[in-house]
Amino acid sequence: MSNKKKILVIGGDLRQIYCSHRLAQSFDVYINGFDDEHLAVSDIKKADASMKREFDYIVLPVPAIRDIRYINAPFSKKAIGIEYVKEFIKPSGIIFGGKLNEYANEILGKDRIYDYTQREEFNILNAIPSAEGAVQLALEELPVTLNGEKILVTGYGRIGRALIGILKGFGADVTALVRSETSNAWAKLAGVKTCREISGNYRLIFNTVPDMIFTGEVFKRLNSDVMIIDLASKPGGVDFETASQLGIKVIWALGLPGKTAPVTSGEIIADIIITIINERSAIDV
């Protein structure tokens, strides 16, 4: 009989499959919330309804919740209620997930939930696949090369910095919209041009700011043929209805790591979960 701790991964996209593979190097891993056609023969076993209260850890996706009361499980034809998760976890078990809502916290127990998206290393490491995916999307959508093009990146956080580094590698003429003196100082230190207002002759704009900063008034200061790729989490940073009325192309690129780099992104999640488990073990010694 194995002495390994048991982990159940429930729901999510391809990231969770690759997360499971990484976790299986150290734990006894099961998976649920994926129809059979999405799972190849591997080191991951499917959990069944008989495995009540067997798991030391449960891993939920990011975002963890769909429609308030259900786990985000796009590769399952069957809806998975949040209450279903509670059936599998041991009384002393820990639940990992990204961006759980208040309903989930209440049902599952807020004290036993660890939101791995709140870890700084998650956001730093995840910035690279997000930025690379955004640039890949731009290359697919634009009828021109990025070399020499005027590009605006709104926000100079983790993703903004990663984006600018990649874009400068393509030879793009990049400007960063900054909203604080600290960001302005960091950008100048990196040799990045900055601005405080959205206006200008840009071919492409990447938005990383999760506030409504692209309004009808702002669109008047931009070219009508500009393309905006919005990387901000819900509710986004663009007035999509007004942009559509003006004929401005906007792509809301949510969940890029899971679409463009699921292996890397899944392994990042797994490594952070392993780190948290090890930290907890050190405290309990």
Side-chain angles (χ1 to χ4, degrees):
M1 187 174 180
S2 173
N3 292 322
K4 290 182 177 180
K5 295 284 189 179
K6 294 178 76 170
I7 293 183
L8 174 59
V9 176
I10 302 180
D13 52 31
L14 293 177
R15 284 175 289 185
Q16 300 307 100
I17 293 178
Y18 293 108
C19 171
S20 299
H21 287 306
R22 174 78 95 185
L23 291 172
Q25 297 174 13
S26 305
F27 301 93
D28 188 12
V29 179
Y30 291 74
I31 198 164
N32 193 288
F34 288 83
D35 295 333
D36 289 341
E37 61 264 30
H38 301 295
L39 296 174
V41 176
S42 68
D43 49 355
I44 310 302
K45 297 158 288 220
K46 286 200 72 173
D48 60 60
S50 68
M51 303 178 76
K52 306 292 187 184
R53 306 288 190 270
E54 285 194 22
F55 292 93
D56 302 282
Y57 307 104
I58 286 181
V59 177
L60 301 179
V62 53
I65 307 302
R66 173 183 64 82
D67 299 335
I68 300 177
R69 295 173 177 266
Y70 297 94
I71 300 301
N72 178 28
F75 290 159
S76 173
K77 297 183 182 70
K78 181 181 178 181
I80 302 173
I82 293 172
E83 296 85 353
Y84 182 72
V85 175
K86 196 172 182 179
E87 296 179 9
F88 289 97
I89 192 76
K90 289 180 177 179
S92 60
I94 298 298
I95 297 169
F96 299 97
K99 303 178 181 178
L100 281 80
N101 60 13
E102 285 304 314
Y103 179 76
N105 288 334
E106 179 182 343
I107 295 297
L108 300 177
K110 190 172 184 178
D111 292 342
R112 67 158 68 184
I113 295 172
Y114 281 75
D115 186 341
Y116 51 79
T117 67
Q118 298 300 310
R119 300 278 295 205
E120 181 66 8
E121 65 266 39
F122 173 86
N123 292 295
I124 292 171
L125 294 171
N126 221 39
I128 297 300
S130 296
E132 288 186 359
V135 172
Q136 177 183 328
L137 186 57
L139 290 169
E140 292 170 352
E141 294 288 338
L142 283 175
V144 296
T145 64
L146 298 181
N147 184 270
E149 287 297 326
K150 289 190 65 176
I151 298 175
L152 176 67
V153 175
T154 56
Y156 197 67
R158 306 174 194 91
I159 296 176
R161 295 178 194 184
L163 261 174
I164 289 170
I166 295 169
L167 293 169
K168 289 179 75 173
F170 276 91
D173 180 5
V174 188
T175 300
L177 174 80
V178 295
R179 303 199 297 174
S180 70
E181 290 300 333
T182 299
S183 294
N184 190 49
W186 278 114
K188 286 186 175 180
L189 190 64
V192 177
K193 293 188 297 183
T194 63
C195 66
R196 294 300 183 99
E197 182 181 79
I198 303 172
S199 64
N201 185 30
Y202 297 106
R203 167 77 71 170
L204 174 64
I205 297 175
F206 293 95
N207 176 51
T208 70
V209 179
D211 294 326
M212 187 60 64
I213 61 173
F214 286 90
T215 62
E217 191 62 35
V218 170
F219 293 140
K220 293 176 184 178
R221 302 197 295 265
L222 298 171
N223 293 340
S224 60
D225 63 349
V226 67
M227 183 173 77
I228 302 173
I229 296 179
D230 190 1
L231 303 174
S233 55
K234 293 180 180 180
V238 180
D239 182 342
F240 298 101
E241 184 176 347
T242 302
S244 178
Q245 292 171 357
L246 295 172
I248 293 176
K249 185 171 184 176
V250 180
I251 300 173
W252 197 6
L254 292 176
L256 277 179
K259 297 171 184 175
T260 61
V263 176
T264 301
S265 301
E267 290 176 351
I268 288 171
I269 293 172
D271 289 344
I272 290 170
I273 287 170
I274 291 169
T275 296
I276 296 172
I277 290 173
N278 289 339
E279 289 173 352
R280 283 179 49 81
S281 298
I283 292 172
D284 292 339
V285 170

